[in-house]
Amino acid sequence: MSWTKVLSVDSLAPGARQVVKVGENSILLINNNGQFHAVGNRCPHLKLSMTKGQITEDGAIVCPWHRSSFDLCSGAVKDWITWPPVVNKAMAAVSQPQALPVYPLRIEDGSIWIDA
């Protein structure tokens, strides 16, 4: 594993989010009421930013662009966009359900560390 210290725990208040770069990866850090998550900042569907995605009570993040949702802990697809039949054929190549990348995260010495 290759851990990278990204920021102090105190700089990510409950409910806050921050995008950090670790190597080539754009990672969205989320403090969901004291539970920290590190997920890919780009939706796997159209590669748009997840920074404004809604966090649900059941621990998912909802893509603000097309409403697909992903489990914050595993990145698994909870709900994927459905297209009208006429659009579905055109969008088939880019609309296959794909998990959101999730990065290992640890808290140590008051800092957030990510393995990416």
Side-chain angles (χ1 to χ4, degrees), residues 12 16 18 21 23 34 36 70 77 79 83 89 103 107 112:
L12 196 64
Q18 185 166 336
K21 289 283 280 181
F36 294 88
F70 307 89
V77 174
D79 188 37
W83 300 96
K89 288 182 183 179
Y103 298 90
I107 308 295
I112 300 172

Side-chain angles (χ1 to χ4, degrees), residues 16-111:
R17 303 160 193 214
Q18 185 166 336
V19 176
V20 296
K21 289 283 280 181
V22 178
E24 299 288 319
N25 302 307
S26 178
I27 299 171
L28 178 61
L29 293 176
I30 301 167
N31 181 343
N32 188 22
N33 299 316
Q35 188 174 12
F36 294 88
H37 302 277
V39 299
N41 184 41
R42 300 284 176 210
C43 174
H45 180 244
L46 294 175
K47 309 300 183 219
L48 299 170
S49 175
M50 294 289 286
T51 56
K52 300 227 186 260
Q54 173 190 357
I55 306 298
T56 66
E57 288 183 17
D58 65 346
I61 185 167
V62 180
C63 176
W65 306 100
H66 70 279
R67 310 301 298 161
S68 292
S69 64
F70 307 89
D71 183 85
L72 281 173
C73 294
S74 69
V77 174
K78 292 187 99 169
D79 188 37
W80 193 256
I81 186 170
T82 56
W83 300 96
V86 68
V87 176
N88 196 38
K89 288 182 183 179
M91 295 301 289
V94 294
S95 64
Q96 297 301 313
Q98 300 172 47
L100 185 67
V102 172
Y103 298 90
L105 174 147
R106 74 176 193 221
I107 308 295
E108 186 176 304
D109 298 327
S111 297

